[in-house]
């Protein structure tokens, strides 16, 4: 099936247009849900058929973190691959027992509609490509799981939601931390009042972005592909954590940016962002994101009688929780779990049970609206009501 004459025909073409040909081979529901709703009860019938996923984009993240998780899934399996690299796809197809007939290029992506083994299309591409492929997947009659940030703009997020709603298909955004045991434990403790009344949150996410050393970082410094810099890519973890820890939506935001434009990494995107969120209950959250510091992935929630620290909070495999009171500190016993498998199984359950995902398109849209308000605040140098 051909695409429109001037549309982005493929991920490779998009990358060439952005001047990133070398990065091409390495890049990684119908109804709105209530914010931070509980994940539904697991399916009781473990013998029920597994939901088939087509993985779109076979970059570093897909290969090293997400795809191996399918081996631990109860309800999800890989049944198709989409890539601009036939060699890479052939290798992975063999590893995950994917039929050669279910291996697609970006040019024949739309023919997924004729593959009954594919129930869900998982978009693991740079944010600048999410909207196009989510819409096309929905038009092909498939449910969609897309990586975060959901898209570069509010308008694109809404277009994705509308396309899936029109097709009668589920749309979920891959907020893996909302399926991770330590984060879920933290949310539950705050809900139960173990910290007392919640008063304040800090959340920090930073790393060194290295586009000249790591091909997976090349797209991250190109605004057309990434949508922005550290705020979009990793600041979204700080932002989303503040929202799910409070269970509220902020009413006012303020941000400050600091970027050394002499650094060749930051010709198009921002480096450091410091931002504050004000919530209806009176809780304040101070958050940071940066592309020029040693890796940090943490948050701390302060209550009237205790604090809860999770550091790291959003790691792939390792988490560390501390609860502190006037009497000292303790390390709660929380078992590590595969957040990717939990996320994938949840999407599969939503398809099998025809239920709205815990993190639907509307959840992704909320974060992008807030990120746009933060960029506005940084430009204007004053708070923005939201």
């Amino acid at each position: 099936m051909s695409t429109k004459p001037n549309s982005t025909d493929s991920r490779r073409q998009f990358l060439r247009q952005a001047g990133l040909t070398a990065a091409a081979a390495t890049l990684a529901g119908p109804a709105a849900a209530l914010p931070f709703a509980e994940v539904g009860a697991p399916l009781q019938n473990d013998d029920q058929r597994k939901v088939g996923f087509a993985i779109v984009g076979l970059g570093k993240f897909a290969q090293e973190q997400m795809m191996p998780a399918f081996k631990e899934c109860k309800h999800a399996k890989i049944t198709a691959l989409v890539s601009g690299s036939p060699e890479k796809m052939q290798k992975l197809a063999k590893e995950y027992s994917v039929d050669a007939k279910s291996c697609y290029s970006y040019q024949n992506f739309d023919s997924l509609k004729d593959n009954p083994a594919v129930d869900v299309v998982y978009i693991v591409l740079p944010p600048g490509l999410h909207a196009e492929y989510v819409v096309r997947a929905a038009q092909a009659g498939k449910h969609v799981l897309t990586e975060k940030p959901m898209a570069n703009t509010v308008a694109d997020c809404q277009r994705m939601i509308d396309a899936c709603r029109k097709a009668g298909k589920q749309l979920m955004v891959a907020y893996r931390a909302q399926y991770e045991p330590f984060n879920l434990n933290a949310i539950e403790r705050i809900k139960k009042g173990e910290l007392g009344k919640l008063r304040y949150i800090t959340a920090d996410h930073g790393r060194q972005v290295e586009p000249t050393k790591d091909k997976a970082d090349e797209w991250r410094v190109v605004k057309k592909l990434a949508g922005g810099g550290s705020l979009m890519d990793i600041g979204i973890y700080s932002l989303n954590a503040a929202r799910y820890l409070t269970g509220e939506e902020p009413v006012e935001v303020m941000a400050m940016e600091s970027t050394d434009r002499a650094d060749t990494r930051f010709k198009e995107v921002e480096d450091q962002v410091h931002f504050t969120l004000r919530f209806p209950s009176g809780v304040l959250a101070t958050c940071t994101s940066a592309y020029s510091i040693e890796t940090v992935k943490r948050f701390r929630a302060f209550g009237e009688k205790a604090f809860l620290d999770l550091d790291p909070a959003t790691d792939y495999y390792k988490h560390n929780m501390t609860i502190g009171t006037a009497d000292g500190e303790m390390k709660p016993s929380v078992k590590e779990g595969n957040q990717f498998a939990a996320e994938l199984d949840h999407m599969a359950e939503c398809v099998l049970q025809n239920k709205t995902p815990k993190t639907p398109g509307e959840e992704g849209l909320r974060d992008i609206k807030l990120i746009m308000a933060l960029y506005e605040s940084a430009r204007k140098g004053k708070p923005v009501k939201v």
Side-chain angles (χ1 to χ4, degrees):
M1 179 177 177
S2 63
T3 56
K4 296 179 180 179
N6 295 320
S7 69
T8 302
D9 294 328
S10 69
R11 179 181 175 212
R12 276 184 183 272
Q13 181 178 339
F14 194 111
L15 291 166
R16 282 197 296 270
Q17 292 169 351
L20 284 178
T21 308
T26 56
L27 297 177
L34 293 174
F36 321 114
E38 296 294 334
V39 178
L43 294 174
Q44 299 302 310
N45 181 10
D46 285 345
D47 295 326
Q48 191 162 4
R49 76 169 182 89
K50 287 192 174 183
V51 171
F53 283 67
I55 310 302
V56 184
L58 306 179
K60 183 177 179 180
F61 171 77
Q63 290 188 59
E64 295 182 5
Q65 273 77 47
M66 184 267 294
M67 291 177 69
F70 277 92
K71 297 173 182 178
E72 296 185 39
C73 286
K74 294 181 179 180
H75 310 298
K77 64 179 180 179
I78 299 173
T79 55
L81 301 173
V82 180
S83 176
S85 171
E87 298 78 14
K88 183 196 303 184
M89 187 158 51
Q90 184 178 17
K91 175 180 176 292
L92 291 168
K94 183 177 180 181
E95 180 179 350
Y96 289 93
S97 302
V98 175
D99 194 304
K101 294 180 181 178
S102 293
C103 292
Y104 301 85
S105 68
Y106 293 100
Q107 285 74 21
N108 67 0
F109 172 88
D110 301 290
S111 57
L112 276 168
K113 71 180 191 310
D114 300 318
N115 191 338
V118 174
D119 302 290
V120 178
V121 174
Y122 188 175
I123 310 299
V124 197
L125 298 170
L129 294 171
H130 289 181
E132 176 187 351
Y133 283 94
V134 167
V135 170
R136 288 169 66 179
Q139 291 172 343
K142 306 300 181 182
H143 302 281
V144 189
L145 174 62
T146 185
E147 269 302 321
K148 64 188 178 310
M150 186 176 174
N152 285 4
T153 67
V154 170
D156 275 347
C157 291
Q158 191 61 57
R159 186 158 64 94
M160 294 155 74
I161 292 169
D162 292 343
C164 291
R165 183 175 294 136
K166 181 178 179 180
K169 298 300 175 180
Q170 302 287 0
L171 172 60
M172 175 172 151
V173 183
Y175 282 100
R176 58 182 176 82
Q178 292 199 42
Y179 301 88
E180 191 283 314
F182 280 78
N183 281 265
L184 292 174
N185 186 277
I187 293 168
E188 191 61 28
R189 289 177 184 275
I190 291 171
K191 274 186 180 177
K192 288 181 177 178
E194 291 186 15
L195 309 185
K197 183 177 174 60
L198 188 63
R199 301 298 300 158
Y200 184 61
I201 292 169
T202 60
D204 305 289
H205 283 80
R207 54 169 293 223
Q208 287 284 351
V209 67
E210 299 181 312
T212 60
K213 295 181 181 179
D214 188 348
K215 289 184 180 296
D217 275 353
E218 290 182 357
W219 64 266
R220 288 185 164 89
V221 296
V222 177
K223 190 170 184 177
K224 188 175 182 181
L225 293 171
S230 72
L231 179 59
M232 284 283 283
D233 185 35
I234 52 179
I236 196 169
Y237 287 99
S238 295
L239 171 62
N240 201 251
R243 292 178 55 232
Y244 61 67
L245 291 173
T246 60
E248 296 184 304
E249 298 298 334
V251 294
E252 184 179 52
V253 303
M254 186 169 183
M256 295 177 64
E257 178 201 336
S258 178
T259 302
D260 178 5
R261 296 297 176 182
D263 189 324
T264 56
R265 296 176 295 175
F266 306 123
K267 289 183 178 179
E268 298 185 26
V269 301
E270 80 280 353
D271 176 15
Q272 301 179 68
V273 180
H274 180 286
F275 59 100
T276 303
L277 313 171
R278 182 188 299 276
F279 291 91
S281 64
V283 173
L284 295 176
T286 298
C287 307
T288 61
S289 68
Y291 263 169
S292 59
I293 65 172
E294 182 52 55
T295 299
V296 60
K297 308 174 180 180
R298 70 186 183 192
F299 64 66
R300 178 173 285 198
F302 298 85
E304 289 182 332
K305 62 182 183 181
F307 72 79
L308 184 152
D309 183 89
L310 198 52
D311 184 8
T314 54
D315 195 65
Y316 291 146
Y317 311 110
K318 182 181 179 181
H319 301 81
N320 182 35
M321 183 182 289
T322 303
I323 295 177
T325 67
D327 297 323
E329 297 183 355
M330 61 168 284
K331 300 280 188 182
S333 177
V334 182
K335 185 178 180 181
E336 288 281 358
N338 191 319
Q339 59 196 291
F340 299 104
E343 179 181 67
L344 293 164
D345 270 342
H346 177 68
M347 180 69 195
E349 291 169 9
C350 289
V351 170
L352 293 170
Q353 298 178 348
N354 190 30
K355 67 180 184 181
T356 302
K358 177 188 178 186
T359 53
E362 289 79 5
E363 171 74 345
L365 173 61
R366 290 185 189 105
D367 271 347
I368 297 303
K369 283 182 176 179
L370 289 168
I371 286 172
M372 294 304 115
L374 288 166
Y375 281 135
E376 179 186 351
S377 172
R379 286 194 306 270
K380 293 181 177 179
K382 62 181 182 180
V384 173
K385 300 287 186 182
V386 292

